[in-house]
């Protein structure tokens, strides 16, 4: 027998309240895991308004909740993204109220190159899907910028290279916005610099650049990582000022290179893209000037030549008028003599005419005309009287020949002739009438001998059935009434003797 | 002919215009009066281009930032 039988295991152990055990666990866990590094893939990430970040770290079997406090989250070089393989540094802590534990993350870093590249690929896909790599979206660079803004480290080879090459080609105003080219501050500073340059006013105290160069020398992918951040790429996209990116060496392509308006393989190349070569331009301008001067002198020369040619073809003005001049001289010579001669001629004619023009001549002519007039008047009156007498005589003769007896005799003669003519007309008409009667009678006799009536006298008869002439036995049988015509009249056979129609009326004899 | 004031032109625009003027003059079929106007405009453009080219001056400044990271002014670049 045991004094102590069936001891209940743990019976001697002290009893904890829930809070006590919860506190004990908290102490143990927080003491044991006050600084740990945990590798895992980031699961669900949530960012409530408080600014704290809650996330899950997981591997293929377990899940660990994590929290990044607001202050820590804002200065993390790598922002947690779902699917990213990371190493999280921090301490474990418990949350007694819900029987939970979690990691409070102090820092988070991608777990190796593969994870970084995977994250970069993912960002590239996102930005490309938004069309931000589209060449059509990119702005042309100004041909000759006045002010160039350079976003880079103020010390080091990069800015020296850029300034040196600018000086060679075309010295310009350059404003350098200093940034950290690597490390945690790199991305936010580059972002702020691009935005800051865009916020400047053109021609202000700090003149706004018309071209930006974002440059950095070569380095490891981790060194260049700031230029792979999405915030930097988005600032470059949003820049109104055309932007050249020149990050790393030619083989390094960072995210900003895909979205910048031009990508330069090196900082020196960026300076070459930025400005043309001044000496070449000067030479070009001189060349244009020379061409212009030559062209103008050619133009003028051509016209001069043309003018010479035309003026050669133009006859001399003297030759144009020479002939006319000569004629003028000749005529001019003859003018005074001709005038004199003409005057003399007129004078002569005048004296000729005026010689015949005297009062005695006029009065003689007047006297002669007066006498002619008197003579005509004297002959006028007897002639009128004589003419009158002749006319009266002729009238009397005519009136004498005009007597009634003559007219009546004429009338009697004409009346007799008329009566005789009428009598002859009546005789002739009567004679003709007798002739016509005789001819008609003989014609009718001929007609009688030619017609069927004469035949009837010789013993023949005409048979009619129902009024029509019947020429066959059949027709005679069909007729209801038969009528026989003989020379001396018609006989009707049958039940209903018809009244004789008008065609069978007895022929009247000739009137003649 | 463009009505734009030569003095307001960018270097690039002035270059393009100068090239056009020269081409037109070399074409040879402009009337004499117009060719002289063109030449004068060309000369003005050339002067403008040259002035722009001669105005090449190097002035490098570094932007100084205040504690909030905002630009506060400029300082000579030393380094």
């Amino acid at each position: 027998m045991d004094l102590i039988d069936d001891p209940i295991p743990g019976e001697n152990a002290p009893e904890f309240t829930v809070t006590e055990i919860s506190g004990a666990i908290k102490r143990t866990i927080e003491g044991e895991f006050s600084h740990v590094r945990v590798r895992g893939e980031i699961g669900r990430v949530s960012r409530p308004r408080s600014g704290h970040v809650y996330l899950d770290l997981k591997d293929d079997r377990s899940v660990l909740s994590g929290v990044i406090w607001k202050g820590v989250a804002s200065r993390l070089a790598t922002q947690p993204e779902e699917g990213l393989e990371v190493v999280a540094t921090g301490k474990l802590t418990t949350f007694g109220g819900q029987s939970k534990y979690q990691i409070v993350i102090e820092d988070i870093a991608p777990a190796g190159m593969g994870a970084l590249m995977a994250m970069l690929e993912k960002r590239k896909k996102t930005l490309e899907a938004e069309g931000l790599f589209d060449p059509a979206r990119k702005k042309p660079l100004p041909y000759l910028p006045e002010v160039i803004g350079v976003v880079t480290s103020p010390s080091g080879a990069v800015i020296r290279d850029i300034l040196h090459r600018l000086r060679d080609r075309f010295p310009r105003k350059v404003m350098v916005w200093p940034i950290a080219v690597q490390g945690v501050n790199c991305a936010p500073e580059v972002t702020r610099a691009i935005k800051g340059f865009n916020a400047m006013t053109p021609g202000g105290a700090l003149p706004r650049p018309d071209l930006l160069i974002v440059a950095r020398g070569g380095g490891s992918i981790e060194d260049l990582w700031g230029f792979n951040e999405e915030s930097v790429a988005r600032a470059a996209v949003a820049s109104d000022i055309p932007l050249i990116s020149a990050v790393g060496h030619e083989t390094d392509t960072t995210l900003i290179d895909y979205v910048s308006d031009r990508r330069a393989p090196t900082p020196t190349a960026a300076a070459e893209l930025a400005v043309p070569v001044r000496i070449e331009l000067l030479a070009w301008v001189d060349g244009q000037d020379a061409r212009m001067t030559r062209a103008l002198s050619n133009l003028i020369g051509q016209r001069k030549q043309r003018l010479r040619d035309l003026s050669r073809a133009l006859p001399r003005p003297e030759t144009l008028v020479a002939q006319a001049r000569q004629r003028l001289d000749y005529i001019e010579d003859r003018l005074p003599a001709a005038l004199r001669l003409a005057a003399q001629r007129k004078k002569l004619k005048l004296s000729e005419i005026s010689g015949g023009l005297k009062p005695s001549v006029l009065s003689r002519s007047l006297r002669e005309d007066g006498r002619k007039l008197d003579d005509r008047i004297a002959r006028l009156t007897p002639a009128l009287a004589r003419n009158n007498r002749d006319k009266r005589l002729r009238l009397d003769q005519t009136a004498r020949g005009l007597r009634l007896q003559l007219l009546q005799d004429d009338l009697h003669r004409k009346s007799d002739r008329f009566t005789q003519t009428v009598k002859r007309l009546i005789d002739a008409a009567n004679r003709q009438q007798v002739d016509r009667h005789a001819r008609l009678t003989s014609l009718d006799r001929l007609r009688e001998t030619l017609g069927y009536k004469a035949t009837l006298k010789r013993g023949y008869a005409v048979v009619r059935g129902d009024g029509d002439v019947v020429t066959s036995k059949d027709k005679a049988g069909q007729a209801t009434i038969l009528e026989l015509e003989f020379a001396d009249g018609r006989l009707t056979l049958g039940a209903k003797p018809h009244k004789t129609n008008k065609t069978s009326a007895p022929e009247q004899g000739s009137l003649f | 002919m463009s009505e734009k004031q030569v003095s307001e032109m960018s270097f690039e625009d002035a270059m393009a215009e100068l090239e056009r003027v020269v081409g037109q003059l070399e074409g040879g079929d402009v009337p004499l009066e117009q060719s002289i106007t063109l030449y004068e405009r060309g000369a003005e453009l050339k002067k403008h281009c040259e002035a722009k080219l001669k105005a090449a001056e190097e002035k490098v400044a570094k932007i100084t930032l205040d504690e909030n990271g905002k630009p506060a002014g400029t300082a000579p670049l030393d380094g």
Side-chain angles (χ1 to χ4, degrees), chain A residues 254-271:
Chain A
T254 55
L255 199 58
I256 191 175
D257 291 323
Y258 289 104
V259 295
S260 63
D261 296 307
R262 285 294 289 275
R263 187 217 168 188
T266 62
T268 302

Side-chain angles (χ1 to χ4, degrees), chain A residues 144-146 148 163 165-174 275-276 278, chain B residues 52-59:
Chain A
L144 180 59
E146 292 288 332
I148 300 171
L163 291 176
R165 187 47 62 97
L166 284 179
R167 193 176 302 135
D168 283 352
R169 291 171 69 88
F170 206 129
R172 297 275 79 184
K173 293 197 187 85
V174 176
V275 291
R278 175 168 166 268
Chain B
K52 287 259 176 194
L53 291 176
K54 295 228 163 91
E57 55 160 338
E58 187 185 74
K59 205 159 119 191

Side-chain angles (χ1 to χ4, degrees), chain A residues 202-484:
Chain A
L206 287 175
R208 184 183 197 244
D210 30 27
L211 181 69
L212 294 185
I213 299 175
V214 176
R216 191 208 189 280
S220 69
I221 184 165
E222 288 87 355
D223 288 344
L224 302 181
W225 195 254
F227 299 90
N228 282 324
E229 292 296 347
E230 198 174 329
S231 65
V232 169
R234 291 207 180 271
V237 166
S239 174
D240 287 330
I241 305 172
L243 187 147
I244 302 173
S245 68
V247 176
H249 295 303
E250 189 158 8
T251 48
D252 308 319
T253 305
T254 55
L255 199 58
I256 191 175
D257 291 323
Y258 289 104
V259 295
S260 63
D261 296 307
R262 285 294 289 275
R263 187 217 168 188
T266 62
T268 302
E272 284 169 3
L273 286 178
V275 291
V277 180
R278 175 168 166 268
I279 299 295
E280 283 174 14
L281 288 178
L282 277 170
W284 180 85
V285 169
D286 282 347
Q288 294 300 105
D289 189 32
R291 276 172 65 189
M292 192 166 67
T293 310
R294 198 164 50 243
L296 187 67
S297 70
N298 280 349
L299 270 174
I300 293 171
Q302 279 164 14
R303 282 168 170 79
K304 246 186 204 160
Q305 183 61 43
R306 186 90 201 287
L307 181 62
R308 264 201 299 278
D309 293 348
L310 285 175
S311 57
R312 250 201 296 282
L314 201 67
R316 291 156 50 82
E318 301 91 80
T319 63
L320 280 177
V321 298
Q323 227 177 347
R325 173 86 245 169
Q326 205 174 355
R327 262 180 70 201
L328 178 63
D329 287 346
Y330 175 65
I331 293 167
E332 197 179 25
D333 246 14
R334 286 165 54 193
L335 184 63
L339 199 59
R340 266 197 306 279
L341 192 65
Q344 268 170 11
R345 268 191 206 139
K346 297 286 182 213
K347 214 184 216 167
L348 190 65
K349 199 149 182 204
L350 178 64
S351 63
E352 269 170 20
I353 295 167
S354 62
L357 197 68
K358 279 183 227 153
S360 62
V361 176
L362 275 180
S363 59
R364 192 172 54 231
S365 163
L366 202 60
R367 248 195 331 272
E368 225 165 86
D369 288 346
R371 204 178 47 238
K372 258 187 228 165
L373 186 62
D374 288 346
D375 182 39
R376 301 237 163 105
I377 289 169
R379 282 160 58 193
L380 187 61
T381 316
L384 195 61
R386 195 170 50 244
N387 191 16
N388 224 355
R389 217 166 34 240
D390 287 352
K391 294 269 192 307
R392 170 149 294 275
L393 197 65
R394 224 182 296 157
L395 177 65
D396 287 348
Q397 281 171 355
T398 311
R400 259 199 304 280
L402 198 67
R403 267 182 304 192
L404 187 61
Q405 188 56 52
L406 285 178
L407 289 176
Q408 278 172 340
D409 290 350
D410 192 43
L411 193 61
H412 280 308
R413 261 194 319 273
K414 286 187 169 119
S415 173
D416 286 349
R417 248 168 69 197
F418 177 66
T419 313
Q420 280 170 5
T421 309
V422 169
K423 191 168 170 285
R424 276 162 59 197
L425 179 68
I426 292 169
D427 290 348
N430 283 342
R431 251 189 331 271
Q432 273 183 12
Q433 195 73 348
V434 172
D435 287 353
R436 284 192 186 109
H437 271 300
R439 262 175 63 206
L440 183 60
T441 310
S442 74
L443 280 174
D444 193 55
R445 263 197 303 274
L446 185 62
R447 186 185 66 87
E448 289 282 349
T449 56
L450 293 176
Y452 74 95
K453 294 269 169 76
T455 316
L456 294 183
K457 283 178 184 154
R458 282 189 275 143
Y460 290 93
V462 173
V463 184
R464 284 188 179 83
D466 299 336
D468 294 324
V469 174
V470 174
T471 55
S472 67
K473 192 184 87 184
D474 289 348
K475 288 251 177 82
Q478 284 163 10
T480 49
I481 297 166
L482 284 177
E483 191 186 54
L484 302 179

